[in-house]
Amino acid sequence: MRCMSTIPCVQPLTWTKGHSGNSTRVTKSCRPARKMDFPLGATSSTVNLPETVLSWDELKGIAASTETGKKIAEEEKLRSQGEGSPHVTAKLRLFGASEDDVRVTLYRDHAGWCPYCQKVWMMLEEKKVPYRIERINMRSYGEKPAWFLKKVPSGLLPVLELDGKIITESLVIMQIIEQTFPDIPMIPEEHFDRANTLLPLERQLFSDWCGLVFRPSGPGPFGGGARKQFEETFDKVNAALGELPGPWFLGGDTPSIVDLQYVSHVERMNASCLYWKGLQLRSTERWANIERWFAAFEERPSYVATKSDYYTHVMDIPPQYGPGYSDSSDEVKEAQLKIDGHATWRLPLSLSSSDAEPLPDSMNPGDEAARHEAAYKLISNYDAVVKFCCRGMGERGAKQFGAPLADPTAVPNLNYKEKVDKLLRTTVLLLLDGSAGVSTGETSEEGKDVASCLAYLRDRIGVPRDMSYPAAMTLRAHLNYVIDAI
């Protein structure tokens, strides 16, 4: 998945419980009467696009005036100073310290999809260790820079540079961070032995997950027995989370190294087990302690900033681990329809904590704020995004990489640039004013080529790289609305 690296990510909204949304609203009367001057193709009988289209500068001004736009701009300003909330695009994190005091550089994957990078990233945030960030491609998504390979010949991520010394392997990195920066401890001394018991259980869970998802189902330990083995180990993890007060493995009020070691892969298990095996791990009575644990994480900025959505994961997991094998059950078919967007990337969009992919209140800003975030992100680098869309009718790159949706050397067909530009401006306008209705149309023959350009973008919107999950979902749905209308 490599697309919206063309759209600079900015800070997710500062969310509070509830769906209050923002008060700023763009109404139809705000639109200058500028007619679209190119044919969009046959318009669906049930989907109509606005008759007017604004310039990018006009749209930018409207987006910046919304409450969401103001919040994002303020976060961007703080982020440029090394402060503010954690974010996938941050290059410096100071936590009130001087830049001269920074001893650490974290080299992590560019998109925020590497589970091993995620746990180290979260640890630095939780311990408030000042650090710099260098973002590097995973091999599945493009070439690694020569300067990085000279520094780290293996090219593996994550890498920590501490006082000029290179350290690899995520758990080793985490142990050294804990020893070097002890002010906010993440392994309580009284639970050291418990931690050493729980860490091997995490490796067992990881092994059982691989046996379930990355091998075809069938009789024996690698088929029907694989699900039973995984569920039994998941039961043990759930039980361990219920042994001490509070939501965390080692008790207390904050997560430990053990929690971070688990969460990055369990997050990916949530998506992959549902998508390929029809096994729902979230919001179940059987694994209530794990659900409580996730709810606690979803209140923490370090996790909110690093968490992906299910669609992103089912696209980014195979390049890292190998293909997932789908069961043929009705549960799998239903899950794939939802996660792939066939049943969910449609307006009106409804996201809640009861969904197959639950969105907790703590991460749900409401429909208007999600729309305005998506609009702001799209506007922020519109020219590159327009050209990126034109790859949908262009030529594949000369060199291909492991990720199926990654094509960093693709050649865009700029003959579609004008049409794509106007359709993206239309999409932004719909995001800003909320006027898009129910989408039930079908793309005309005349509109199919330019629709392919919009779909190319839609299918490559990634979380957290590009925007928050609610914003990504609403952008995907609005792109489908426009696709239906052309």
Side-chain angles (χ1 to χ4, degrees), residues 410-479:
V411 180
N413 185 341
L414 297 182
N415 292 325
Y416 290 89
K417 183 179 178 182
E418 182 180 356
K419 288 184 178 181
V420 168
D421 182 281
K422 292 188 177 183
L423 287 173
L424 287 182
R425 282 186 280 138
T426 300
T427 303
V428 169
L429 183 57
L430 293 171
L431 287 164
L432 287 171
D433 70 13
S435 63
V438 177
S439 178
T440 57
E442 185 175 346
T443 307
S444 68
E445 284 298 320
E446 184 181 355
K448 282 186 176 179
D449 286 354
V450 70
S452 294
C453 295
L454 298 186
Y456 189 89
L457 173 65
R458 177 201 64 201
D459 294 346
R460 289 163 176 80
I461 299 167
V463 178
R465 181 192 59 193
D466 305 320
M467 57 191 69
S468 70
Y469 169 58
M473 287 292 284
T474 197
L475 178 52
R476 293 163 182 159
H478 277 77
L479 286 169

Side-chain angles (χ1 to χ4, degrees), residues 156-181:
L156 295 177
L157 298 170
V159 173
L160 195 81
E161 188 169 357
L162 172 62
D163 297 332
K165 181 180 178 181
I166 295 295
I167 306 160
T168 59
E169 301 296 338
S170 59
L171 194 53
V172 174
I173 291 171
M174 293 166 77
Q175 291 168 340
I176 290 175
I177 292 172
E178 181 71 2
Q179 294 165 4
T180 308
F181 304 97

Side-chain angles (χ1 to χ4, degrees), residues 34-307:
R34 182 177 292 112
K35 296 288 185 180
M36 287 199 175
D37 54 6
F38 69 92
L40 293 177
T43 302
S44 161
S45 60
T46 56
V47 178
N48 292 293
L49 297 180
E51 294 183 357
T52 60
V53 60
L54 279 64
S55 71
W56 285 111
D57 283 343
E58 290 167 327
L59 293 168
K60 183 178 181 179
I62 295 171
S65 70
T66 67
E67 290 302 312
T68 296
K70 292 174 184 177
K71 289 179 182 178
I72 294 174
E74 179 61 25
E75 281 292 340
E76 289 176 325
K77 180 180 178 181
L78 289 171
R79 193 155 57 250
S80 70
Q81 301 166 357
E83 301 297 344
S85 299
H87 191 267
V88 69
T89 62
K91 296 180 179 179
L92 175 69
R93 300 289 289 150
L94 292 176
F95 306 103
S98 166
E99 190 170 353
D100 293 337
D101 296 330
V102 177
R103 300 168 57 191
V104 170
T105 299
L106 172 64
Y107 300 86
R108 65 164 180 81
D109 71 300
H110 190 276
W113 299 337
C114 169
Y116 302 98
C117 296
Q118 183 183 13
K119 61 188 72 173
V120 174
W121 178 9
M122 288 180 64
M123 185 174 188
L124 291 168
E125 290 291 331
E126 290 290 340
K127 290 178 72 68
K128 301 187 185 305
V129 175
Y131 67 106
R132 295 183 179 87
I133 302 97
E134 293 283 353
R135 291 185 289 161
I136 309 293
N137 278 330
M138 289 189 286
R139 283 196 176 94
S140 301
Y141 299 93
E143 301 283 2
K144 292 181 184 288
W147 65 263
F148 177 72
L149 293 174
K150 185 175 180 180
K151 187 183 290 280
V152 186
S154 70
L156 295 177
L157 298 170
V159 173
L160 195 81
E161 188 169 357
L162 172 62
D163 297 332
K165 181 180 178 181
I166 295 295
I167 306 160
T168 59
E169 301 296 338
S170 59
L171 194 53
V172 174
I173 291 171
M174 293 166 77
Q175 291 168 340
I176 290 175
I177 292 172
E178 181 71 2
Q179 294 165 4
T180 308
F181 304 97
D183 288 350
I184 302 177
M186 295 193 73
I187 302 183
E189 286 189 25
E190 65 272 22
H191 292 310
F192 189 80
D193 289 342
R194 177 174 170 81
N196 280 332
T197 299
L198 289 168
L199 291 174
L201 178 61
E202 188 273 336
R203 289 293 81 193
Q204 181 62 52
L205 181 65
F206 176 82
S207 177
D208 293 341
W209 171 58
C210 291
L212 173 64
V213 171
F214 305 113
R215 295 185 179 96
S217 295
F222 299 120
R227 177 163 178 156
K228 181 175 183 292
Q229 179 64 48
F230 173 83
E231 291 185 6
E232 288 176 352
T233 304
F234 213 59
D235 286 339
K236 293 177 183 178
V237 173
N238 185 71
L241 280 166
E243 290 172 351
L244 295 177
W248 310 112
F249 277 107
L250 302 185
D253 297 325
T254 57
S256 67
I257 283 181
V258 175
D259 295 286
L260 302 188
Q261 178 69 6
Y262 273 83
V263 73
S264 61
H265 275 119
V266 178
E267 176 186 317
R268 286 151 179 82
M269 293 173 196
N270 290 336
S272 57
C273 289
L274 182 61
Y275 186 82
W276 283 297
K277 301 299 171 181
L279 176 60
Q280 176 63 271
L281 304 181
R282 292 295 306 265
S283 306
T284 67
E285 291 185 12
R286 179 175 180 178
W287 297 308
N289 291 329
I290 291 175
E291 185 63 25
R292 180 181 63 155
W293 179 68
F294 266 113
F297 264 122
E298 288 163 345
E299 296 277 356
R300 303 194 73 81
S302 69
Y303 185 64
V304 171
T306 63
K307 182 185 179 185

Side-chain angles (χ1 to χ4, degrees), residues 278-409:
L279 176 60
Q280 176 63 271
L281 304 181
R282 292 295 306 265
S283 306
T284 67
E285 291 185 12
R286 179 175 180 178
W287 297 308
N289 291 329
I290 291 175
E291 185 63 25
R292 180 181 63 155
W293 179 68
F294 266 113
F297 264 122
E298 288 163 345
E299 296 277 356
R300 303 194 73 81
S302 69
Y303 185 64
V304 171
T306 63
K307 182 185 179 185
S308 294
D309 71 333
Y310 286 9
Y311 175 75
T312 299
H313 276 321
V314 300
M315 294 293 118
D316 71 38
I317 285 173
Q320 298 179 62
Y321 299 95
Y325 286 86
S326 295
D327 285 355
S328 58
S329 66
D330 290 340
E331 291 81 3
V332 167
K333 293 175 184 176
E334 180 181 358
Q336 293 186 353
L337 281 172
K338 291 178 178 178
I339 295 171
D340 284 337
H342 300 297
T344 51
W345 298 353
R346 293 287 167 186
L347 297 175
L349 195 65
S350 177
L351 304 174
S352 75
S353 58
S354 62
D355 294 343
E357 179 175 359
L359 177 65
D361 289 348
S362 61
M363 294 180 66
N364 191 346
D367 173 70
E368 184 175 88
R371 285 190 285 102
H372 290 177
E373 180 191 351
Y376 191 102
K377 305 295 180 69
L378 189 54
I379 292 167
S380 63
N381 199 16
Y382 66 84
D383 189 55
V385 178
V386 169
K387 293 175 183 176
F388 181 85
C389 286
C390 292
R391 291 182 181 184
M393 288 302 295
E395 298 177 6
R396 297 187 70 186
K399 182 172 182 178
Q400 293 296 299
F401 295 87
L405 295 183
D407 194 2
T409 61

